[in-house]
């Protein structure tokens, strides 16, 4: 019984790659320090809060009748953040996110908000 050396080399290389993948699996996703983990949580929370503000603006625009301005409140943002992401945010934090997204989405044209009070 004679074995092909190229085939055996190919199988050995494949097994080595599988073993390396098994050993290094998930290392990229795991932070190396507590500080980096906390920074990642803060970034994700901030990103989800901004998304909540975007979703609240979009929802208000859908609710508004034709020709009427959309009314977006800070409470809308806190409600969306809680429902979609499980975030419990302070009113000031939600207002800051709403102001930021309000300006970015050029909402002065067709929206009204209480975030600036």
């Amino acid at each position: 019984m004679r074995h092909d050396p190229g085939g055996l080399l190919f199988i050995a290389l494949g097994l080595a790659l599988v073993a390396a993948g098994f050993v290094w699996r998930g290392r990229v996703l795991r932070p190396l320090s507590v500080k980096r983990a906390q920074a990642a949580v803060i970034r994700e929370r901030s990103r989800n809060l901004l998304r909540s503000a975007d979703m609240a603006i979009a929802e208000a625009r859908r609710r508004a009748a034709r020709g009427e301005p959309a009314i977006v409140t800070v409470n809308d943002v806190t409600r969306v953040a809680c429902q979609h992401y499980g975030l419990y945010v302070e009113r000031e934090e939600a207002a800051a996110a709403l102001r930021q997204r309000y300006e970015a989405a050029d909402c002065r044209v067709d929206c009204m908000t209480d975030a600036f009070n």
Side-chain angles (χ1 to χ4, degrees), residues 3-111:
H3 296 288
D4 182 25
L8 290 176
L9 181 64
F10 182 74
I11 290 173
L13 182 62
L15 288 174
L17 286 174
V18 168
F22 183 73
V23 170
W24 290 97
R25 178 187 57 160
R27 287 262 173 130
V28 175
L29 299 178
R30 282 187 236 140
L32 299 175
S33 70
V34 173
K35 185 186 275 187
R36 286 179 59 190
Q38 291 170 343
V41 168
I42 291 170
R43 280 192 311 271
E44 182 180 6
R45 186 177 195 281
S46 176
R47 187 172 36 243
N48 288 341
L49 184 57
L50 291 175
R51 286 180 187 152
S52 298
D54 286 337
M55 290 175 8
I57 290 170
E59 183 180 319
R61 283 180 169 164
R62 281 191 301 272
R63 278 192 322 247
R66 187 170 179 86
E68 290 184 1
I71 300 172
V72 186
T73 65
V74 175
N75 290 335
D76 292 338
V77 176
T78 57
R79 179 183 48 78
V80 170
C82 182
Q83 287 177 348
H84 288 275
Y85 300 107
L87 294 177
Y88 295 97
V89 294
E90 297 292 325
R91 181 173 172 77
E92 291 79 22
E93 191 178 12
L98 181 56
R99 283 191 298 269
Q100 182 179 353
R101 301 314 296 165
Y102 187 86
E103 295 291 332
D106 196 27
C107 288
R108 292 191 188 276
V109 177
D110 63 343
C111 297

